Amino acid sequence: MLISSAIRRQLSSSTTPPQPRWIHHLAPHLSPSNSKGDDSTTADTSKPNNNHVHQTPVQTLNKSPIVQALWKTRDEAKRRVMGNLTIGDPEYSAVSTAAAEILSEATSSGPAQVDPRGKHPKESEVGIAYPFSTDQFLLETYRNPWGEMRFGKILEDLDALAGNIAFNHVQGNAMIVTAGVDRIRVRRRPEIGADQYLSGKTKRAIKITPLIPETDEERVHFELGAVKAQAKKVARKNKIQIGRPLSEESLKIDSRAAKLLEEAGTLLRMPSLADPHTILMDQTAQSNAMVAQPQARNLHDRIFGGFLMRRAFELAFATCYMFGGDKPRFLEVDDISFDKPVDVGDLLVFKSRVLYTMPEGGNLGSYVDKHEGFPLVNVEVECWVTCPGSKRAEVSNHFYFTFALPAKDTCRRVLPANIDQARRMAQRMCDDEIQAGLRP
């Protein structure tokens, strides 16, 4: 399912939020309030499992107020479907959609009905407010060292928001996981000094409740999502794999990779005579390692995809900063893949490198924040689940970020040191060129 979302600035304190289901964040409570002397807070023990009514999922602790609010809202919606079962109960994750409908029938006037005609995007739309002007804690949570918005935190919120949108669309007790991120672009830089709104809705759905676009804008997004999905399917099919004959597209990528490696010849064999404005990809690499802690888990007790996105973004930002010599400006997330789940206790190694650059600048489209004429840097980050005991490691995620260097006139051109790097660089260049052609 493709989710479309946006951050919007509140024009005035009296502005009324539009159509989506707006969520307001509050301080979490782990148990119902039952202060002495206040009869209004006395729990009604005549109802089963009353102690769960106001319970906040423990997984929301240590998360931002925005993620807390989104997850609590989704948990409450699930609880309404599943009766008295809540997060933490052993049967919670095992209940199927069919079982959830039976539970719903027992706790409501009738079973949940899925409309075979499908749903309109507005039916799944969700929004949440960032009252920075009145919430000092929230402001400090999202402020970076330069007094700007922490986009890594926004990536966490977008992942949580997408889960709520998907849940609203599919109905029942479907397990919602992030399969991938197509593209996130900064159209206009949000100001942390002003209140902001984050909202989104279903863009395209596959093998679930059909989606019925209504407005011209929704139809454009629907068709664009279909085209992008088809383009990615073709790209996966054309990907160079050992033992398979090369397709026409793969041959073009291989030819482009050979030219890139040829350009790197002088830098590899006679570095003192090479162009001083070039650098090998290996020399741009950075990395860090961490153990996945339980505080970073999601509602299904696996590591929250938004957390991985934030950690990858922060490493990519630092990598570009080290490479460019000045604070970079984030422009877009080009592609994120979730190849395997990450569990609590996994040893994670994040590896980053500058994959390629556009020293004279490039055109990412009018939809992207002002970037014309600035050097552009594409950073790749891989997350490896590493098992020292068994001497094994697997890639769980790939991330691709694009940054601009607004204070620089140019930057070094990155070149590959071997054919594998050359192919990776050529593949990414081609993928970005295809995506550029699909930009609205």
Side-chain angles (χ1 to χ4, degrees), residues 381-396:
V381 179
E382 291 180 335
C383 178
W384 289 76
V385 176
T386 307
C387 304
S390 59
K391 302 177 183 178
R392 295 180 56 196
E394 295 180 282
V395 176
S396 62

Side-chain angles (χ1 to χ4, degrees), residues 65-84:
I66 301 300
V67 173
Q68 285 183 3
L70 289 166
W71 282 5
K72 185 178 180 181
T73 301
R74 195 195 317 174
D75 178 58
E76 290 171 350
K78 270 203 167 191
R79 202 179 301 145
R80 287 193 294 270
V81 173
M82 300 172 64
N84 291 323

Side-chain angles (χ1 to χ4, degrees), residues 252-384:
K252 290 180 181 178
I253 292 172
D254 222 22
S255 175
R256 189 170 187 173
K259 291 179 180 178
L260 288 168
L261 191 57
E262 183 179 356
E263 290 181 53
T266 304
L267 189 58
L268 286 167
R269 290 183 288 272
M270 295 171 285
S272 63
L273 302 178
D275 184 347
H277 297 292
T278 60
I279 188 174
L280 291 175
M281 188 187 297
D282 288 337
Q283 295 175 306
T284 70
Q286 304 291 334
S287 67
N288 59 40
M290 62 170 291
V291 174
Q293 302 292 338
Q295 291 77 16
R297 69 190 189 275
N298 61 18
L299 293 176
H300 303 293
D301 286 325
R302 281 184 154 158
I303 296 302
F304 177 34
F307 169 80
L308 299 174
M309 291 164 63
R310 176 172 66 82
R311 291 300 298 253
F313 170 82
E314 290 173 350
L315 179 59
F317 183 93
T319 301
C320 188
Y321 201 167
M322 292 272 292
F323 171 79
D326 196 71
K327 181 172 68 75
R329 176 183 295 174
F330 170 62
L331 295 178
E332 61 181 21
V333 176
D334 297 296
D335 192 13
I336 297 177
S337 66
F338 289 79
D339 302 322
K340 69 184 301 292
V342 178
D343 294 313
V344 173
D346 283 346
L347 176 60
L348 305 180
V349 178
F350 289 86
K351 299 181 179 181
S352 67
R353 58 186 176 181
V354 176
L355 208 53
Y356 74 90
T357 62
M358 302 175 72
E360 308 306 320
N363 183 15
L364 301 179
S366 58
Y367 197 86
V368 181
D369 188 38
K370 298 177 181 178
H371 63 281
E372 295 82 357
F374 298 146
L376 302 183
V377 181
N378 184 282
V379 180
E380 175 193 59
V381 179
E382 291 180 335
C383 178
W384 289 76

